[in-house]
């Protein structure tokens, strides 16, 4: 272990001690939502700049949260409520004496208000990318949902919907309904609607009104035109995660009310545990107690904040450490590109630097044209000092001086801090940093940067990056390309299309193509960089054959960059570039391409790369994610590749998947995931994700997957069917993709500790199986799942261990003592392959009582779980628990549920009464006609 490895925990301990000593109010500045004394503080709701100003939007948000606070308080049995909420007003709205933002931004929001750019634009939903009990990323509401009172009938009151979504976001529980499987056959062989609790009542409805359930079921599938409508008046009090719209529903399903048989996502993801079991095991419940008495909590307090002018200060290390490995040149190249192409118009930019002391290089200067950009580039440091010592606090102090000259405060400003030297005194300015109201993005250059540098970005809500010392790595430019204004306006942000770097031999070339798809093309720029000698020979062709060469690029010989800006909208299609090394020595040649949205009403495809946490300790893996979307619709079938670069050693390339297995919890949600565990050394690792999508395959999901509050199509009220208005379609259609698309995004950095020196034994087990399903066919049960690997989700396992039990509690709590199923003939397939295995439960479970006619006295269910074993006998975690009904006779048909027996009886009785009435009427008419004829005949005789 190096000296740094020994020193780091000491520095971190000192740092944490100082953090704990600070006032809690200061910690809320950058720490997100915090729970104190039963109340949530720091909840941030952000309105997208694309949303038009509406005088009713803010009052409706306040009303929603206020109602949600009291509803949540009662649902959590007097334990939790919302205390302090901030609403971020977009800078596109008129100023109205709003408070100035500090470290709040759209990208940090817990709740976002924006349009979908797609059909069914009113659906609220929560983006969940991790497993049961894990926090999600954000809650999404549309203006239509918040303003259109006509939707309340279908969703329930907005406060109730918010609590439903908050449970997704905060506690990692899942929906208890299933639109794809609205009915199922329960253990008593009855057809039931998928619901929780099962005490919620309703009836089947066909196109023309109520109908027996058998008219709606065809081969266990729901017939089109049929639905199950719930009674508007109920006695059931659960569950909020099923149907929060019912007035009687005031709590979550618990162990006594939970419907374990329902085929919903909650049962699948949480191994049949109730939502209340998951919620009550959360950190929020472990760190709080129910409030005594009968008083309600105070209503929430709201703060309205709005961003002012965009202010950025570059704080750059100029110590002698910057002279190593060409760091200064690579920094100059990246910052020049940032200033010339990426910084948004009208942004105020300043520059500070530091070694052992801080210095101001450029006061704030507003970017209004290219001349302003060039002026700022001229202030970049051209040389480094002879001092190796660095004082990051001194550099930040000068940075604060720069930004405070605009309005007297640093509120809402952004510091981009670049450091390569060690500094053991960062804690000295912690209080100043936290109280500044500034967000700090940190960029660590090389292996000697201060170990606790990232704490500054963590505590202020900033991004953190690491740039390794590799001449052919484009990480520095990728990092600056990732840093945006944070407003959430995707139509004003630059999107990176290409990042390529190679060491090119003399008289060899770097050649590649980059796709400019039709959703981008404005403000497109190509950047070529090199490390030594003069520029390479550059040849660039657009999709129509127009040629650009070196003379068309703006050359900066001092910084060794060549930049080409395409006026107007770049032609969509494949652009081909060639970089020829015409020199007699090896050249590190790199190409970067960025662009902006081509139209203001068609969102471009985007990728957001991120990791599970700030750090991990060997042998625990790091989970890597890439959220690929167009607007808010998931992009499917993309090729997503992650590149992870350690401090020393070669980069690792890893393909990410959206298959609902391994690290990826939900299939086809647009979040591509993978486990990373190739830990070569201790220290920092950088992440970059590259997305390619072919035009020949389906691109978009037709709906937003994941966790939604359910929209109820109608109710049964006083025996009458009352249908709600159907959700309107926004009319957005996916355009035909002729070229596919390409995207690049830096995912920041993470740290790894505890990696042993030299070779180490196998310590990586197979990953947990999360998609186990069981289907009963005749007398057998067929299991299906996605194969894990020898090491997590790579390679293939050695064997499987399948166990069954008639007790859910037994298999949950004591898997090792459940009944073992013989799997000797089951040979594991490579990771990612779909596995199936069929067995007869009768061979393993005996003792059921039988009636004389051979039918079982009662139905039974078995619970099944599986784990994988590798060649060194390392075992995965136990899978999700699947279930199946047993011992149902072949001759038995599904027994009518009580609701339908009553309904059929009523309809039969009404039919019989109608027939009787008809017989009476007909008889009466016949008798009258006979009497009439008798009178006529009598007259004739007389």
């Amino acid at each position: 272990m190096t000296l740094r490895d020994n020193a780091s925990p000491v520095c971190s301990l000192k740092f944490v001690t100082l953090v704990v000593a600070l006032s809690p109010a200061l910690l809320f500045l950058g720490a997100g939502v915090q729970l104190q004394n039963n109340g949530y503080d720091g909840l941030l709701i952000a309105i997208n700049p694309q949303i038009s100003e509406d005088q009713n939007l803010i009052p409706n948000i306040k009303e929603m949260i206020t109602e949600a606070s009291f509803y949540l308080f009662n649902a959590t049995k007097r334990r939790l409520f919302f205390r302090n909420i901030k609403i971020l007003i977009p800078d596109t709205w008129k100023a109205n004496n709003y408070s100035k933002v500090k470290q709040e931004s759209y990208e940090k929001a817990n709740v976002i208000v924006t349009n979908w750019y797609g059909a069914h634009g009113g659906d609220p939903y929560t983006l969940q990318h991790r497993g049961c009990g894990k926090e999600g990323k954000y809650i999404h509401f549309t203006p239509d949902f918040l303003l259109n009172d006509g939707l309340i009938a279908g969703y329930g009151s907005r406060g109730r919907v918010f609590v439903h979504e908050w449970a997704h976001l905060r506690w990692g529980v899942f929906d208890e309904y299933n639109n794809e499987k609205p009915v199922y056959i329960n253990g008593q062989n009855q057809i039931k609607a998928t619901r929780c609790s099962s005490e919620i009542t309703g009836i089947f409805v066909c196109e023309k009104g109520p109908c027996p359930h058998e008219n709606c079921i065809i081969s266990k599938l729901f017939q089109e035109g049929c639905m199950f409508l719930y009674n508007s008046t109920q006695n059931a009090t659960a569950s909020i995660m099923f149907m929060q719209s019912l007035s009687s529903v005031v709590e979550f399903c618990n162990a006594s009310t939970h419907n374990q048989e329902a085929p919903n996502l909650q049962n699948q993801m949480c191994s049949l545990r109730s939502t209340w079991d998951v919620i009550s095991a959360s950190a929020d419940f472990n760190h709080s107690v129910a409030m005594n008495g009968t008083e309600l909590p105070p209503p929430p307090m709201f703060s309205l904040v709005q961003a002012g002018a965009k202010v950025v200060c570059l704080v750059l290390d100029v110590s002698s450490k910057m002279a190593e490995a060409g760091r200064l040149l690579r920094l100059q190249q990246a910052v020049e590109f940032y200033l010339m192409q990426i910084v948004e118009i009208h942004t105020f930019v300043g520059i500070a630097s530091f070694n052992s002391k801080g210095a101001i290089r450029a006061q704030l200067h507003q970017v209004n044209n290219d001349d302003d950009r060039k002026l700022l580039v001229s202030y970049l440091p051209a040389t480094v000092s002879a001092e190796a010592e660095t004082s990051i606090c001194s550099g930040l102090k000068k940075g604060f001086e720069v930004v405070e000259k605009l309005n007297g405060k640093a509120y809402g400003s952004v510091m981009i801090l670049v450091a390569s030297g060690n500094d053991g005194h960062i804690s000295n300015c912690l209080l100043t940093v936290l109280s500044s109201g500034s967000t700090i993005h940190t960029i660590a250059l090389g292996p000697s940067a201060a170990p606790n540098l990232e704490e500054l970005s963590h505590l202020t809500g900033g991004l953190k990056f690491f740039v390794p010392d590799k001449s052919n790595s484009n990480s520095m430019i990728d990092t600056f390309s990732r840093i945006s204004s944070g407003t959430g306006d995707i139509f004003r942000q630059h999107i990176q299309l290409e990042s390529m770097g190679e060491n090119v031999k003399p008289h060899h070339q770097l050649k590649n193509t980059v796709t400019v798809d039709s959703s981008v093309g404005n403000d497109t720029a190509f950047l070529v960089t090199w490390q030594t000698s003069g520029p390479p020979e550059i040849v660039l062709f657009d999709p129509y054959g127009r040629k650009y060469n070196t003379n068309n690029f703006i050359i900066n010989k001092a910084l060794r960059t060549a930049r080409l800006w395409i006026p107007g909208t770049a032609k969509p299609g494949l652009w081909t570039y060639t970089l020829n090394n015409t020199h007699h020595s090896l050249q590190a040649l790199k190409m970067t391409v960025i662009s902006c949205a081509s139209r203001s009403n068609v969102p471009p495809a985007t990728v957001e790369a991120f990791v599970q946490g700030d750090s991990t300790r060997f042998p625990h893996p790091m989970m890597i994610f890439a959220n690929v979307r167009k607007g808010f619709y998931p992009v499917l079938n993309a090729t997503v590749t992650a590149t992870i670069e350690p401090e020393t050693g070669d980069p690792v390339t890893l393909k990410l998947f959206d298959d609902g297995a391994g690290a990826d919890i939900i299939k086809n949600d647009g979040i591509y995931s993978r486990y990373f565990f190739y830990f070569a050394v201790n220290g920092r690792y950088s992440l970059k994700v590259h997305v390619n999508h072919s035009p020949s395959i389906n691109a978009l999901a037709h709906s937003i997957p994941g966790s939604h509050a359910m929209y109820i199509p109608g109710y049964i009220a006083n025996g009458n069917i009352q249908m709600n208005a159907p959700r309107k379609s926004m009319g957005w259609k996916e355009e035909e993709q002729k070229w596919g698309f390409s995207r690049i995004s830096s995912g920041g950095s993470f740290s790894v500790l505890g990696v042993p020196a030299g070779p180490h034994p196998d310590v990586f087990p197979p990953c947990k199986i999360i998609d186990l399903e069981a289907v009963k066919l005749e007398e057998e049960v067929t299991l299906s799942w996605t194969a894990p690997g020898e090491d997590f989700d790579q390679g293939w396992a050695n064997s499987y261990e399948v166990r069954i039990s008639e007790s859910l509690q037994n298999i949950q709590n004591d898997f090792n003592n459940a009944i073992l199923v013989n799997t000797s003939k089951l040979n594991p397939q490579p990771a990612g392959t779909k596995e199936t295995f069929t067995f007869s439960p009768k061979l393993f479970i005996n003792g059921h009582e039988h009636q004389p006619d051979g039918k079982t006295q009662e139905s039974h269910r078995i619970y099944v779980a599986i784990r994988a074993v590798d060649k060194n006998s390392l075992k995965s975690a136990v899978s999700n628990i699947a279930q199946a009904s047993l011992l149902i006779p072949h001759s038995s048909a599904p027994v009518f549920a009580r609701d339908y027996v009553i309904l059929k009886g009523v309809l039969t009785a009404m039919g019989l009464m109608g027939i009787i009435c008809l017989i009476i009427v007909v008889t009466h008419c016949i008798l009258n006609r006979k009497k009439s004829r008798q009178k006529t005949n009598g007259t004739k005789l007389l």
Side-chain angles (χ1 to χ4, degrees):
M1 184 175 285
T2 64
L3 178 63
R4 176 183 168 186
D5 297 326
N6 288 321
S8 179
V10 177
C11 293
S12 297
L13 181 61
K14 180 180 177 183
F15 200 88
V16 169
T17 303
L18 237 134
V19 169
V20 172
L22 292 173
S23 91
L26 280 176
L27 290 179
F28 292 147
L29 288 175
V33 179
Q34 297 289 316
L35 178 64
Q36 274 210 325
N37 299 325
N38 299 90
Y40 289 112
D41 293 301
L43 175 65
L44 178 60
I45 303 172
I47 302 171
N48 191 279
Q50 290 287 317
I51 301 303
S52 301
E53 189 165 358
D54 190 297
Q55 62 180 359
N56 294 319
L57 191 57
I58 301 301
N60 284 9
I61 291 174
K62 290 182 177 180
E63 181 182 338
M64 175 178 68
I65 302 299
T66 301
E67 180 195 0
S69 184
F70 295 121
Y71 188 56
L72 179 69
F73 183 69
N74 291 322
T76 56
K77 307 185 190 309
R78 299 184 54 82
R79 189 182 291 261
L80 303 170
F81 63 93
F82 297 107
R83 182 186 289 115
N84 292 307
I85 292 89
K86 290 184 178 179
I87 302 176
L88 178 60
I89 310 299
D91 59 3
T92 53
W93 289 21
K94 292 181 294 187
N96 190 20
N97 294 322
Y98 301 123
S99 300
K100 187 172 175 58
V101 298
K102 294 183 180 178
Q103 290 152 341
E104 302 86 8
S105 72
Y106 186 88
E107 293 178 342
K108 302 175 193 175
N110 314 105
V111 182
I112 58 174
V113 179
T114 185
N115 287 314
W116 263 20
Y117 306 102
H120 296 161
D123 276 356
Y125 85 103
T126 301
L127 184 62
Q128 293 182 269
H129 64 289
R130 300 195 293 167
C132 182
K134 305 293 185 182
E135 286 192 51
K137 283 190 72 67
Y138 56 74
I139 298 171
H140 180 181
F141 292 116
T142 63
D144 187 43
F145 171 79
L146 293 169
L147 296 172
N148 184 358
D149 290 343
L151 294 174
I152 293 176
Y155 290 109
S157 65
R158 297 185 184 103
R160 285 170 168 255
V161 172
F162 188 88
V163 172
H164 177 102
E165 300 302 335
W166 179 256
H168 286 312
L169 179 74
R170 185 73 177 182
W171 301 313
V173 295
F174 293 84
D175 289 320
E176 293 171 329
Y177 65 90
N178 189 337
N179 288 330
E180 295 182 0
K181 295 180 181 179
V183 296
Y184 67 100
I185 298 177
N186 71 358
Q188 284 71 45
N189 206 25
Q190 298 169 327
I191 295 174
K192 291 286 189 179
T194 302
R195 52 190 161 178
C196 192
S197 72
S198 56
E199 298 301 315
I200 295 178
T201 59
I203 63 172
F204 282 100
V205 173
C206 300
E207 292 181 356
K208 297 181 180 180
C211 59
H213 74 283
E214 63 264 27
N215 291 1
C216 279
I217 310 300
I218 301 176
S219 301
K220 299 182 182 179
L221 298 176
F222 219 29
Q223 184 176 344
E224 188 175 355
C226 289
M227 64 183 68
F228 190 85
L229 293 185
Y230 296 91
N231 296 320
S232 60
T233 302
Q234 302 275 350
N235 294 322
T237 57
S239 168
I240 293 171
M241 300 314 293
F242 172 64
M243 193 180 290
Q244 73 288 331
S245 56
L246 292 172
S247 59
S248 67
V249 170
V250 293
E251 61 185 14
F252 298 95
C253 262
N254 55 36
S256 63
T257 58
H258 180 57
N259 182 3
Q260 295 175 349
E261 296 180 331
N264 56 39
L265 204 56
Q266 172 64 23
N267 278 330
Q268 178 188 332
M269 299 304 302
C270 298
S271 288
L272 310 183
R273 294 170 64 198
S274 72
T275 53
W276 184 250
D277 286 344
V278 176
I279 293 169
S280 58
S282 67
D284 288 350
F285 273 60
N286 291 333
H287 300 148
S288 64
V289 294
M291 295 173 62
N292 296 322
T294 59
E295 291 185 6
L296 292 175
M301 300 291 292
F302 295 91
S303 302
L304 305 184
V305 296
Q306 186 179 37
K310 298 180 183 68
V311 180
V312 177
C313 186
L314 301 167
V315 182
L316 310 177
D317 189 347
V318 292
S319 69
S320 60
K321 283 290 182 181
M322 291 296 294
E324 299 175 7
R327 293 172 192 162
L328 179 63
L329 176 61
R330 288 186 291 129
L331 174 63
Q332 291 170 326
Q333 292 171 339
V335 174
E336 182 210 29
F337 190 56
Y338 175 75
L339 293 173
M340 294 302 302
Q341 295 294 153
I342 297 173
V343 171
E344 290 184 15
I345 196 77
H346 305 314
T347 301
F348 288 90
V349 180
I351 303 174
S353 63
F354 64 94
N355 43 34
S356 62
K357 298 179 180 178
I360 296 174
R361 290 185 171 268
Q363 297 290 355
L364 286 182
H365 196 91
Q366 190 173 31
V367 176
N368 294 311
N369 51 49
D370 270 4
D371 290 336
D372 296 324
R373 297 177 184 274
K374 292 174 184 176
L375 179 63
L376 285 165
V377 170
S378 70
Y379 289 119
L380 291 178
T383 59
V384 300
S385 73
E387 293 184 11
E389 184 180 354
T390 57
S391 174
I392 291 171
C393 287
S394 297
L396 288 173
K397 182 180 178 182
K398 292 299 181 183
F400 292 141
E401 287 182 21
V402 170
V403 299
E404 286 171 357
K405 289 192 175 180
L406 186 64
N407 293 311
K409 296 282 187 179
Y411 290 175
S413 65
V414 171
M415 299 281 166
I416 301 178
L417 173 62
V418 183
S420 64
N422 201 350
D423 183 356
H425 305 287
I426 293 178
S427 58
N428 293 344
C429 58
L430 181 61
L431 183 62
T432 303
V433 166
L434 283 174
S435 61
S436 69
S438 180
T439 297
I440 300 178
H441 303 312
T442 58
I443 304 173
L445 304 190
S448 57
N452 55 351
L453 178 69
E454 288 81 2
E455 292 292 345
L456 294 169
S457 55
H458 176 72
L459 292 174
T460 61
L463 302 172
K464 60 186 188 308
F465 302 93
F466 165 64
V467 178
D469 287 336
K470 295 182 178 66
S471 60
N472 63 338
S473 171
N474 214 20
S475 295
M476 186 81 79
I477 293 172
D478 297 336
T479 292
F480 277 91
S481 298
R482 170 68 178 81
I483 298 173
S484 68
S485 62
T487 63
D489 188 353
I490 190 60
F491 297 101
R492 288 192 289 175
Q493 294 176 7
H494 282 88
I495 296 171
Q496 191 171 359
L497 309 183
E498 174 72 318
S499 174
M500 178 65 70
E502 282 186 11
N503 287 321
V504 180
K505 296 178 180 179
H507 308 292
H508 284 66
Q509 61 184 212
L510 170 61
K511 184 175 182 178
N512 204 7
T513 60
V514 57
T515 302
V516 177
D517 58 284
S518 59
S519 69
V520 296
N522 286 353
D523 203 20
T524 302
F526 292 78
L527 174 71
V528 178
T529 64
W530 60 97
Q531 297 301 111
T532 57
S533 306
E537 180 187 9
I538 305 170
V539 179
L540 174 67
F541 288 96
D542 77 5
Y544 294 89
R546 179 178 176 180
K547 181 180 180 180
Y548 301 86
N549 55 35
T550 310
N551 294 331
N552 299 116
F553 283 69
I554 299 172
I555 307 293
N556 186 325
K557 293 183 178 179
L559 301 186
R560 296 166 191 170
T561 64
R563 182 170 47 87
L564 173 68
W565 177 74
I566 306 297
T569 303
K571 300 293 184 184
L574 286 177
W575 291 63
T576 303
Y577 63 86
T578 304
L579 307 181
N580 293 300
N581 181 8
T582 58
H583 299 279
H584 299 290
S585 60
L586 193 73
Q587 279 272 46
L589 303 180
K590 287 168 273 190
M591 169 67 86
T592 304
V593 184
I594 62 171
S595 188
C596 286
S598 58
R599 287 167 287 176
S600 61
N601 61 343
V602 179
T606 59
V607 56
E608 177 196 8
F610 55 98
V611 293
Q612 182 181 17
D614 295 330
S615 63
T616 189
R617 178 171 287 276
F618 183 91
H620 300 291
M622 179 61 73
M623 294 172 71
I624 295 174
F625 304 98
N627 186 8
V628 187
R629 273 169 161 64
K630 189 169 186 181
F632 284 91
Y633 278 76
V635 175
L636 309 182
N637 304 314
T639 300
V640 182
T641 305
T643 301
I644 302 100
E645 293 187 86
E647 291 186 356
T648 58
D650 296 328
V652 176
T653 300
L654 198 63
K655 191 173 181 180
L656 309 185
F657 298 104
D658 184 18
D659 57 359
D664 191 74
I665 67 162
I666 298 178
K667 184 177 181 178
N668 290 339
D669 65 348
I671 298 180
Y672 296 73
S673 319
R674 200 76 186 273
Y675 289 107
F676 173 72
F677 53 91
Y678 294 107
F679 303 134
V681 293
N682 289 303
R684 297 181 174 98
Y685 289 69
S686 72
L687 168 66
K688 177 172 70 174
V689 166
H690 189 178
V691 178
N692 271 309
H693 196 278
S694 168
S696 61
I697 57 179
N698 182 40
L700 294 185
H702 296 297
S703 63
I704 302 291
S707 306
H708 300 245
M710 181 166 58
Y711 183 86
I712 308 303
Y715 295 96
I716 303 298
N718 299 320
N720 298 316
I721 298 173
Q722 294 183 354
M723 299 303 294
N724 293 321
R727 292 173 295 172
K728 67 178 182 179
S729 173
M730 305 300 286
W732 182 74
K733 294 182 180 180
E734 180 189 358
E735 292 186 342
E736 181 182 356
Q737 293 295 320
K738 299 179 181 178
W739 306 281
F741 66 83
S742 174
R743 299 289 186 268
I744 301 286
S745 179
S746 171
S749 66
F750 60 92
S751 297
V752 180
L753 302 173
V755 180
H760 49 76
D762 179 20
V763 291
F764 303 120
C767 65
K768 176 182 175 179
I769 295 167
I770 63 173
D771 60 346
L772 178 67
E773 293 183 351
V775 177
K776 181 183 179 299
L777 298 172
E778 302 296 335
E779 297 299 319
E780 295 181 322
V781 171
T782 296
L783 305 179
S784 62
W785 67 93
T786 303
E790 166 78 11
D791 297 332
F792 295 108
D793 53 5
Q794 296 172 46
W796 56 88
N798 186 60
S799 63
Y800 291 114
E801 180 182 356
V802 177
R803 292 184 182 270
I804 61 176
S805 176
E806 291 182 287
S807 166
L808 173 61
Q809 186 175 3
N810 287 350
I811 203 165
Q812 280 179 333
N813 301 332
D814 195 8
F815 176 82
N816 291 331
N817 287 323
I819 299 171
L820 182 65
V821 177
N822 184 357
T823 58
S824 59
K825 295 182 179 180
L826 177 59
N827 296 316
Q829 300 300 306
T833 305
K834 202 67 178 177
E835 299 265 36
T836 58
F837 175 67
T838 300
F839 69 98
S840 175
K842 284 186 175 181
L843 299 176
F844 305 96
I845 297 179
N846 299 303
H848 295 304
E849 295 181 7
H850 290 262
Q851 295 178 348
D853 61 0
K855 294 182 181 179
T856 57
Q857 185 174 3
E858 59 181 72
S859 62
H860 296 274
R861 298 187 76 76
I862 62 163
Y863 301 93
V864 189
I866 184 173
R867 65 182 172 192
V869 184
D870 71 7
K871 61 185 178 183
N872 291 317
S873 299
L874 295 175
K875 297 180 178 181
S876 71
V878 177
S879 72
N880 65 296
I881 299 172
Q883 57 182 321
S885 299
L886 284 185
L887 305 173
I888 299 174
H890 297 295
S891 60
S892 64
V895 179
F896 293 157
R898 180 183 61 187
D899 296 341
Y900 314 114
V901 173
I902 294 172
L903 176 63
K904 188 169 183 178
V906 170
L907 292 174
T908 302
M910 291 175 64
L912 290 172
M913 290 176 65
I915 292 170
I916 292 169
C917 291
L918 181 62
I919 292 171
I920 292 171
V921 170
V922 171
T923 303
H924 180 71
C925 290
I926 291 171
L927 290 174
N928 285 341
R929 291 182 66 182
K930 283 184 177 180
K931 288 179 180 180
S932 176
R933 287 175 182 174
Q934 287 175 358
K935 288 181 181 180
T936 303
N937 293 336
T939 303
K940 288 180 179 180
L941 290 172
L942 289 173

